Amino acid sequence: MKTAAVFFADGFEDVEALTPVDYLRRAGINVITVGIKGKPYNDSMIVTSSHDVRLITDCSLEGYLREYGEKAPDCVICPGGSRGAENLSECEALLAHLEKAWNEKKIVAAICASPAVVLGKTNIPHGKKWTCYPGMDKESNPEYVGMYVNKTFVSDGNLVTARGAGASEEFAMELVRLLAGEESAEKIKKGTLQR
């Protein structure tokens, strides 16, 4: 069974974070929700979204790294929300893990502010086409700005990026397609009555 990790920090954008969790689980992918910055709760974390929705993650980053520190899962995902992305970007251990996943040829995905604010602090976007929330591209490493594409979502090899909450479904479905295949993606598309 393939595994994906979604990283949550206070200020995450609800739809961008939970749509991939939902659709990937429908596709039979083992999805782990990982708390980066929030309130400790047992071995996990309580994080609060940009719209004041509280969520208990499956584990904290420390617990997650005990299992996936040596070998990253098949896909790692950073939701947006400007404060959420900023909180993710301040975590050096997360940035190192994202680069490890990239170097292992795993799928790295980010949406909204995170492609610029989080991935922009790594080597991941180097030479890849990417997108983000309009105007946030200037927050990225200047050497990556030239590869920015003004599209709803961009899939370039094992890098998947998207613009914002309105692109969450397309973003999540691209991850389903890459991890579970076309047949599974088509089944979910029909079952959820997507346009």
Side-chain angles (χ1 to χ4, degrees), residues 9-191:
D10 282 342
F12 71 90
E13 166 50 55
D14 312 55
V15 174
E16 296 166 0
L18 293 174
T19 304
V21 172
D22 181 317
Y23 283 12
L24 287 170
R25 284 185 176 167
R26 287 175 194 250
I29 304 299
N30 175 38
V31 181
I32 305 162
T33 58
V34 183
I36 304 296
K37 190 171 183 182
K39 284 180 148 181
Y41 179 80
N42 297 330
D43 290 330
S44 60
M45 194 149 304
I46 298 173
V47 289
T48 304
S49 78
S50 58
H51 296 100
D52 293 321
V53 175
R54 286 179 187 77
L55 178 132
I56 301 172
T57 62
D58 295 324
C59 59
S60 65
L61 181 63
E62 292 75 21
Y64 166 83
L65 289 175
R66 279 194 294 274
E67 187 165 351
Y68 293 98
E70 292 297 311
K71 184 179 179 193
D74 301 287
C75 178
V76 290
I77 303 165
C78 294
S82 59
R83 193 165 64 91
E86 186 177 314
N87 283 333
L88 293 178
S89 78
E90 292 170 355
C91 180
E92 293 295 329
L94 173 62
L95 297 177
H97 182 69
L98 294 172
E99 287 204 344
K100 180 176 183 47
W102 182 252
N103 292 335
E104 292 174 2
K105 309 290 187 225
K106 304 300 173 72
I107 297 167
V108 176
I111 186 170
C112 192
S114 284
V117 175
V118 180
L119 300 186
K121 287 188 169 183
T122 71
N123 291 319
I124 295 166
H126 183 75
K128 293 288 184 182
K129 291 179 182 168
W130 62 282
T131 194
C132 66
Y133 192 83
M136 292 299 298
D137 54 301
K138 293 164 186 63
E139 301 292 319
S140 185
N141 181 326
E143 80 174 80
Y144 305 146
V145 173
M147 296 297 284
Y148 170 79
V149 179
N150 186 15
K151 286 188 171 181
T152 304
F153 85 97
V154 175
S155 190
D156 187 355
N158 57 330
L159 176 63
V160 180
T161 55
R163 295 180 76 174
S168 296
E169 186 172 75
E170 290 169 283
F171 175 70
M173 289 302 294
E174 178 67 0
L175 296 176
V176 167
R177 189 183 68 74
L178 291 170
L179 290 166
E182 295 287 352
E183 188 176 320
S184 183
E186 192 57 35
K187 184 177 176 184
I188 291 169
K189 182 177 179 180
K190 286 179 181 173

